Amino acid sequence: MSKSLVCAALLLASLLPVRAAADCKALDNSPTVRIGTYESGVDNREVEGKCTIDDLLDDERPWGGQREFLDHAGKVFNDLLKDGLISLDERDRLMAAARSSGIGSQLTVKLIAFNDLHGAIKSAEGAAGNPGVARLANRIQALKAANPLHAVVSAGDMVGASPLSSALFKDEPTIEAMNRIGIDFAATGVHEFGEGRDELLRLQHGGNHASSSFSGQGLAADRRQDSQFSGAAFQFLAANVIDTASLQALLPAVGYKDFLGHRIAFVGIARRSTPAHVPGAGVAGLEFRDEAETVNALVPGILAQGVKSIVVLVHEGGLTAGGTSNGCSGLSGPIVDLVGRLDPEIDLIVSGGSHLAYNCSVNNRAGIPVPVTSAGHHASHLSDIELTLDTSSGNVVAASATNYPIGQDEPEAAEIQAIVSHYAALASATPAVGRITAEALGLVINLNDPYSVAVGEYYARRRGIPESHIVRVSLPTTASISRNSFEALAAELRNRLPETVQGLALAWVKPYAVECNSITSALTMGFQPEICSSPNVCTPSKASPFFRYIGARPFTDMGLRPSMLIAARSIDSAKALIERGISADQSMPADHRSSAKAYFIKTWDGFRSVRHGDFPAAGPIGPWGLTVQRESLGSGYTQAPISEVLIYQTGLTRVDGLNQVQWRPGALADHLTSFGGRLDAAPGSAQMSVLDWIESGATASYGTVTEPCNYNTKFPHPRLLTKSYLQGATALEAYWRSVEWPGQGVFVGEPLAAPFAPLLELPPGRP
């Protein structure tokens, strides 16, 4: 700092108003005045009985530049000199220390970042371990308090593929929570486009949804004066999303925030491959341009405004080889290529999309490492990032980041929890709520069956089934067990399972029957001896209370626990089945593909094609990204090659060519025939076992264990099955909701597979 600058500071200070009385809550009792880390040698002492010299200087707070700090210091020291509280020599020594301290030459800005929230406002909803937005808000508030110079940003998928508490209300609860938290900027992800551009713009600008009675239900403080939804108080950014009609960006490309006269540019970037993950209507009329090329093209314009600090918020991520949330082991994937093509002027990349937490450095196109962060998903983490700016040049000279986990022990911010509680109360009064989760599932393992032990323990570990929900029993490993054996099993489960358990997973292949009942139906609804009293069991069975049931607490509401066998032909096949179920979770629309298909096949076999009148209408079902295909098979048993299959229903004794079917994770498949539920039938049997569907790659199925006499009501109703699955039900719930008389039918698969986020409404007339 030049001597002339110091003199100018003293001159300016002499012209400033007399010092206002300070309000010092805690006196700085340091023996000498230390300015920054520089020791002045001047005794620190109280002045006017209110503050010490150190207190008045207030050098710990942020300063926009060194000149600003020296002007302030000169004013303080001149006032003290005029009041006779310091000597001229002391003033000069203090000013020399202020000049040497370097205070104001750098400025530290805190960025608080998250990604892939997916509307997970309510604790434990939507993802295992989700702490809820009130806990996320509490940690954000604490980080804000640590530095008044801060910005809160999101790297996409703030909304969409949301749990019920947000999805039912068109994600308005999430926007309202973000408004109260004080978000500054949010990049668009994949799911912001899930319901189309108009809906995204409505979330930005406000107004109630045109066709949803659940819109505009927020607290009065969060709504507009006309009582409608207020819209986002923060700015969505999408630099690379172009309206093909106007050739203009759909949303602003760059957001700027000022920090004591120094602006940081935030560039928001959507994933270029978004159209491959959302229904066509969601991205109609929009072009998603290359991420890196878009960012690089914006840099000259940003620099021309005198802004030298640039942060990119991008909904594209990478994969790591494991490790901690602050590690970066083996980072790979699209983010590495993207950063490798970026202009060296980019100082930081906040990424999202992969649902992982990592803290990395990736070389840009000049070979210079750039910080790249990601904060997990569903409020699991926050990235605490510090950027150090040179106040003379405006450049970022240092950056550091730490990912903090948000746990269930984090306190909840009361004002945010008020929003969550408000909507949770509304949702609880609404039919068709939620779905069974791992926290509400019971697991039964047969200790007499090595398959059951291996598969059951694997499932418990992979799905996180609470130990208190696991019951280990000893059963015969025969195809069918007696009524007495069954009643003993049922009594043991009633006595040992907590009342919070709403459904059951049975980790075995055999037994699959209780005399002429299926074991899944017997455990759910009780043994039905009347089925066995008919000579050929061609008789109606008891109607299921679960048929068309729309809640997520069947045991609480009806005293029923729907059950499903985790059955396959080998332990390895069962593990693969489990992994398919896990992969399915929120893959529609969390990995939305408009090419996913639901096949409904009318066959030449009239006795087994009695369901064809209940098939859904052909065509796309938006915004779920599923297209219904209705086809006819005039002869034979062979299925031609098909791909991206999520639902498949037909009526035949067997289906050949299943190796030509490419299944989506979470696929449901069944065939109406007499004995599909006989799980010990060998491959190639005249009556194909439902395990053939599982072995080919389906995730759940259904078949009868005794002759059903082709009653429609003893098999899954095609429209109800499809509707339930689209509404976010698990495979367990979707199948149970679709069978009116399930007494002879065995439910098989990965119970918790749930490709769709829980939603209530379907387009009029669908499916």
Side-chain angles (χ1 to χ4, degrees), residues 223-282:
R223 300 198 305 267
R224 299 188 318 203
Q225 289 186 348
D226 63 1
S227 293
Q228 294 206 14
F229 170 59
S230 64
F234 55 92
Q235 183 62 61
F236 281 109
L237 303 173
N240 62 329
V241 182
I242 307 301
D243 184 318
T244 55
S246 66
L247 298 182
Q248 300 297 311
L250 178 68
L251 291 163
V254 187
Y256 295 90
K257 187 165 185 178
D258 185 276
F259 301 94
L260 299 180
H262 303 277
R263 291 195 296 165
I264 295 179
F266 296 87
V267 180
I269 297 291
R271 182 183 294 178
R272 185 184 184 185
S273 63
T274 294
H277 301 284
V278 299

Side-chain angles (χ1 to χ4, degrees), residues 211 297 413 541 765:
S211 62
S541 58

Side-chain angles (χ1 to χ4, degrees), residues 449 451-452 455 506-510 512 564-578 580 679-681 683 689-699 747-750:
D449 183 358
Y451 170 102
S452 182
V455 172
L506 314 177
W508 62 71
V509 179
K510 296 186 294 185
Y512 55 77
M564 179 173 275
L565 287 172
I566 307 175
R569 289 207 168 103
S570 69
I571 292 172
D572 287 343
S573 291
K575 289 180 178 179
L577 165 65
I578 292 165
R580 289 197 297 275
L679 305 186
D680 53 355
S689 167
V690 299
L691 291 191
D692 284 358
W693 295 111
I694 301 299
E695 293 301 308
S696 72
T699 304
F747 298 81
V748 175
E750 201 284 279

Side-chain angles (χ1 to χ4, degrees), residues 532-672:
C532 306
S533 64
S534 171
N536 59 2
V537 293
C538 283
T539 183
S541 58
K542 185 166 62 177
S544 168
F546 206 86
F547 183 63
R548 295 180 184 263
Y549 171 72
I550 53 176
R553 298 178 299 176
F555 186 76
T556 301
D557 296 340
M558 304 180 295
L560 302 180
R561 290 185 175 114
S563 59
M564 179 173 275
L565 287 172
I566 307 175
R569 289 207 168 103
S570 69
I571 292 172
D572 287 343
S573 291
K575 289 180 178 179
L577 165 65
I578 292 165
E579 293 304 320
R580 289 197 297 275
I582 293 170
S583 297
D585 290 353
Q586 295 196 19
S587 61
M588 300 282 294
D591 185 19
H592 223 303
R593 296 183 185 178
S594 57
S595 59
K597 302 293 195 303
Y599 283 87
F600 298 92
I601 315 296
K602 179 184 178 182
T603 74
W604 53 266
D605 188 338
F607 290 108
R608 294 176 175 85
S609 277
V610 292
R611 290 187 294 181
H612 74 87
D614 295 324
F615 287 171
I621 306 177
W624 284 264
L626 183 70
T627 299
V628 171
Q629 300 278 117
R630 293 184 61 157
E631 297 185 359
S632 296
L633 183 66
S635 62
Y637 299 89
T638 302
Q639 173 60 55
I642 52 177
S643 62
E644 297 292 335
V645 181
L646 187 67
I647 299 175
Y648 187 109
Q649 289 190 311
T650 189
L652 282 174
T653 56
R654 71 177 195 273
V655 179
D656 300 333
L658 291 183
N659 60 336
Q660 302 184 92
V661 178
Q662 178 192 349
W663 302 100
R664 291 276 296 176
L668 311 180
D670 59 72
H671 59 307
L672 190 155

Side-chain angles (χ1 to χ4, degrees), residues 471-516:
V471 178
R472 296 171 177 84
V473 299
S474 296
L475 290 174
T477 57
T478 54
S480 177
I481 58 174
S482 68
R483 181 176 180 180
N484 288 339
S485 295
F486 163 76
E487 295 293 358
L489 169 65
E492 185 172 6
L493 296 182
R494 283 195 300 271
N495 293 333
R496 293 177 59 184
L497 285 172
E499 291 186 355
T500 53
V501 170
Q502 305 294 330
L504 292 177
L506 314 177
W508 62 71
V509 179
K510 296 186 294 185
Y512 55 77
V514 181
E515 299 183 5
C516 65

